[in-house]
Structures are given as structure tokens and as C-alpha cells.
Amino acid sequence: MTRMMAIVERDLRKFFRSPTLMLVSMVMPLVQLVILGNAFGGKIHNARVGVVDYDHGEQAVRVREMFDSVAANIKTFTAVNCNDERQAREDVRTGKLDAALIIPAQYSRRVLAGDSPKLGLVVDNSDQFMSSSLEAEMQSLADALNTPTVQPKVVQQIVLEIVELYPYVEYMKYLLAGSIALAMYVSVMIGGGMLYIDDKARGVHEGFLVTPITRLELVMGLNLAGAIKAVLSGVSLTVIGSLLAGLGGDFSSRAGAAASAVDCGRFDCV
Amino acid sequence: MTAHKSDPRYAGIAIAVENIVKRYGDFEAVSDVSFQVKNGEMFGLLGPNGAGKSTLIRMMTTLIPATSGRANIAGFDVAKEPDIVRRAIGVIPQALTSDIDLTVEENLSIYAKLYGVPKAQREKNIEELLRAVDLLKWRDAQTKTLSGGMRRRLEIARGLIHNPQIFFLDEPTTGLDPVSRVAVWEMLDHLRSTRELTILITTHYMDEADHLCDRIAIVDHGKLVALDTPIALKASVPGNSVVDVQFARDAGEWRERLETLAGLTSVEAQSVGSYRLHTENGPQTTASLVALAADKGAVIKSLSVQNTTLDDVFVHYTGRQLRDEQVKAPLFQMPPRPGN
């Protein structure tokens, strides 16, 4: 036990003698914490939600009034009028809007007839946080609409239908892009950064600097080699990872699906 | 682009160091050192660890700038024309800097490319140098499979790949076993005789400096304390030779007889028939001892003569032993190089 603790002691002494090392070990995770924390959590504020009204009927107006009042009171989101579902989807995809509320044609008639009326909410499910928050908000809106204020003449059974902008993606495929970036990062860090430091510590750089080589050429040469290594690991991971994640076949059918989704909106053609 | 001409004031002089000083903050690693090395000479910088030898060599090989003073290599100022100096010199740093993942030949080839040696010349040089350092059959071996001595030989070959005129070796045999050390010495002697090469070695081994060098500069605490040929240095230090003699038969009469020998400083009886003589002049005392023994008809069982060593020289000039000191100068830090 003492022997093992001697090794622990040695390592800790070295650590505490190096202020730079301590700073980096603690600052880096802090930076990561702040960035990731804000990426995954936080409050939504002034999310832009588009409203597409194909109905223009009385019930549609009700929905919109409620929507506007929520927007005005709580300021969670702002309402933006849109004309066209396809355009609204496109705007959510590109990020101009955070979500889009679609009131389909025949909505009012359906509400009055009790014929399973639907409201559509287009969300960008690649932004997990935003989409689930907005879904929750809209769901509570739908529930509010469903609650009768006076004796109901008509029983409201409005159902909120979520339309995810992106179809379900398996986790491995979802993770692939990040893994490629990680592979390149680690490759550069070890093959570029640590190798450089190691060489310098062993005095190899001294051996080079007595030759006509300039410091710039030495550093650029090492950086270029590191970059090549990073590209190689990125490319191999893209190829192998795609095969593992089963992406090969998807590329052709994906294109078709994407095209059809933009082409035909779901709510204007009943 | 003006043609670069060697300074004619330094014709025939490979290395000229003039009042060179290196200061790190308050600490003076090298204090006002001056010396000259002629073309074709084998010159030694001898001193304990921390004396400033490595700092001196780094200043001469353009790795660090001098705080003040000048160094002139092959007629070119190190601060003003470092690039020309780099092409004229070959350097073997103290640490083993050859790449362990490359083969012997690859190490030489890449280094040659750093010097811009054209392809045909490069191949010729590699062949020739591998033969000279006796690594020819190892040319495709990975450097990590070589022993320390072999790696050192590889690095010697590497330092000469571009045919420099001046060769710097920073502690070339430190850390090598005795057999490898001798191999390296033999190699250096051989290289010197077959090429026009000026060699400067730093070392803390007295036997190495004694064996290899034409002239030795003794460095201590960053100062030059002595500079001369090994023989002259030893001759300048009196009374340090030791003669150990053992007689076959001794009834005690030799105690007095020995006192009469020429050059003697003192006699110590060691055991029956064995005596240790301290003398000013080892050879002289030995000669008269042998003559005296022959005269008296006595048989000398064993005789050994130990002349003044460079350690004695060092003690004489610095007042202390040649031993390790805590390194006060910070390790190599890579500040901006002169001329860049």
C-alpha cells in the first residue's frame, strides 16, 4: 500500500508544482461546462413561431388569439405570420423560425363537427431542447383550447399533432458527425500537439535547428503533417463509420424523402 | 544578394570566440571567454557539469544568442550570418536526437534534405558515412533497435552528411559503455585523418580530453581557467606523479635508499617491500630507481608509474575536484536565434 501511495505522492507533487497544468485542467472543463450547459439547457426566450392559417374560420381565430395572448404575456415566443406551410417548414429548417403552428384547412368545420380536429406543429427535432419546450407549450395551448369556459355546445377534442421536421435517426448515425470531429481533434492533439512537445523535450528540435531550417519551416512542417494525419483519420472514420452506422443505402433514399417532404405539405391538402 | 565572403582576418582559423558572455538574469553562465581553434585542430572543452560548456557550444552553433561578445565560425560571424555558419558546421547535441522510428538510412536522408544536399551527392555521402562509422549493414534497421553506442555513431554520421568543415560534439561519449567509448574515439580519429575536419568536443571525461585533443581549454563556472596542450598542462602542475614499487627482498634498507632518488617529494612505506613514492617527475624518478636497483642487484617485483592526470591539473587551476555541480543555468529554452 505504501508503495502505491509513494507513486500517488510523486504524481501529486509534480502536479502542484506546475501552476500552468493546474490552470488548464480546471479551466478547460469549466469552459466546456458553460458552453455545453447553454447548448443543452437554459430558458427559451423569444422563440420565433410561425403561424400558418389555412382556415381563417372562427375557431382558427380563437387559436390565434390564444396564441397571441400567450406570446404577449409570457414572451416565451413571438408569433410570426406565414402564408405557406412549405415555406414555414423551410424556414424552420433554415432557422428563420424555431417552430411553425399550422392551422389546416377545414379546421373550424372539424372543431364544430367534433371530427378529430388537428393542429400541426412543425419542430426542428435536431434541437432537442427547443423542440421539446415548444411542444410542451403548444400542448398546454391545445389543452387550454380543449377546456370549456362555458357550458360546451361543442365538445372540443382538439389534438395537437407534432410534425417533426427530421424523421427518426438512429443514435449511431446521429453520433457519427460528432465522432468524426472528435477523431480529427484527438488526432491533431496527439499526433500534432503532443508529438511536438515530446520532440521538443527530447531535444530533437535542437538537432534540427542547427541546420539551415528556419523555425517557421519546422513548425509549419509539423503542423502540416498533423493536419494530414487529422484529415486521414477524419476520412477513414467517415467511410468506416458510415458503413457501421448503415448510412450507405440511406443516401439515395434520404434524398428522395427530403424532396417529397418539401414538395407536399401535410396540412393544406386534406 | 551580396556574395558572402569569409572574413580574411580569420584565415586559417576555424573558430574564434571573443569575449563571449551569456547571462540568464543575474546568473552568468559564460563569463568573458576567448579562444581560437585553428583549421584541422581537435580542440577540447573540459570542465565539470554546469561549467557552461554546453552553453558555449550552443552560442557557437547559432542556437542561442550571446549576451555580449562575438563568435566567428569559418570566418563568418554567428550573429550576422547564421545561415552560412549552419551550413559550414555539423553538430552532435548531447541528447540522442535521431528519430527512433526511422531507419538508419532514413535518418541520414532526411537530415541531408534539411541541408539541401542534392540527391546524387546525398546517396554517395550516406554510403560513405555509413561505411566510415561501421553501420553499413544496419542501414535498414530501425533506429530503436540500435544500442546507445550505435546510435551515437549514427548521429556522428548524420552530423557529417553535408560535408561540413567544422564539427561540434557535445559530450559525445557520456552514457556509453567503455567499449563503445573507445569505438567512438577511434572513429573520430579516423574521420579526422581522412577528412579536412576541425573538431571541437566538450567533455567532462579527462581521459577523453587527454586521448583525443590537440589542445584543451579548461572551463569552470563559465570562465576559461587554462588553455594548452594536454602535455603542457600536466607539465605545469608539479609534484603529482606517483610511483609504486615492490621489491622481491627488502630488509628495510630500501627505505633510506629511496630517499636519494632524483625528483622525489616523499616516500611512503605501504607494506613489507612495498613503497609509494611521490615525485615531481615520474619518468625521471623511475629511471633512477631502476638504475639504483640494478646497481644494488635487487629484483623489482612490480613497478607502476602514474603521471599527473588532468584531474590534478584541474585541482591546481581551480582549487577543487572535477565533480558534478547542480545545474544553475535553466535548460535549453529556445529564445530567438541571432539573425532570425
Side-chain angles (χ1 to χ4, degrees), chain A residues 30-31 37 61 75 86 93 114 127 142 152 156 161 168 170 216-217 224 230 237 240 248 250 263 268:
Chain A
L30 276 175
V31 168
V61 171
K75 299 225 187 303
R86 254 160 276 159
R93 193 192 303 277
D127 183 351
Q156 309 271 36
E161 187 175 300
Y168 172 70
E170 290 139 37
L216 181 71
E217 283 167 355
L224 187 60
L237 197 69
I240 299 172
D250 270 343
D263 230 4
D268 59 347

Side-chain angles (χ1 to χ4, degrees), chain B residues 45-64:
Chain B
L45 278 178
L46 175 67
N49 290 331
K53 311 186 296 287
S54 288
T55 312
L56 251 176
I57 245 195
R58 285 193 185 122
M59 285 192 279
M60 288 187 276
T61 56
T62 76
L63 283 173
I64 58 178

Side-chain angles (χ1 to χ4, degrees), chain B residues 299-328:
Chain B
V299 172
I300 294 176
K301 230 167 101 174
S302 79
L303 178 66
S304 87
V305 183
Q306 196 182 45
N307 284 316
T308 316
T309 64
L310 285 177
D311 199 26
D312 302 319
V313 173
F314 190 80
V315 170
H316 175 81
Y317 282 104
T318 66
R320 56 190 186 81
Q321 296 280 327
L322 197 81
R323 62 163 169 27
D324 289 342
E325 283 238 334
Q326 198 178 34
V327 176
K328 292 194 196 76

Side-chain angles (χ1 to χ4, degrees), chain A residues 167-236:
Chain A
Y168 172 70
V169 178
E170 290 139 37
Y171 195 62
M172 198 188 266
K173 291 177 191 172
Y174 172 73
L175 209 54
L176 184 61
S179 302
I180 293 169
L182 185 67
M184 295 181 74
Y185 174 72
V186 169
S187 150
V188 161
M189 185 169 76
I190 293 176
M194 285 186 192
L195 208 67
Y196 178 90
I197 293 166
D198 199 44
D199 272 355
K200 191 169 176 183
R202 282 192 299 120
V204 172
H205 289 189
E206 230 188 88
F208 288 141
L209 287 170
V210 288
T211 72
I213 201 171
T214 65
R215 279 189 308 163
L216 181 71
E217 283 167 355
L218 180 62
V219 171
M220 289 311 294
L222 291 169
N223 279 342
L224 187 60
I228 292 173
K229 284 185 260 190
V231 167
L232 281 175
S233 48
V235 165
S236 1

Side-chain angles (χ1 to χ4, degrees), chain B residues 8-48:
Chain B
R9 287 177 297 166
Y10 296 103
I13 295 174
I15 303 170
V17 171
E18 289 163 15
N19 306 108
I20 209 164
V21 175
K22 181 66 189 171
R23 228 171 272 125
Y24 289 108
D26 282 335
F27 172 64
E28 243 182 21
V30 175
S31 310
D32 198 16
V33 170
S34 304
F35 60 85
Q36 286 190 345
V37 179
K38 293 192 258 308
N39 280 343
E41 213 183 340
M42 175 100 93
F43 191 86
L45 278 178
L46 175 67

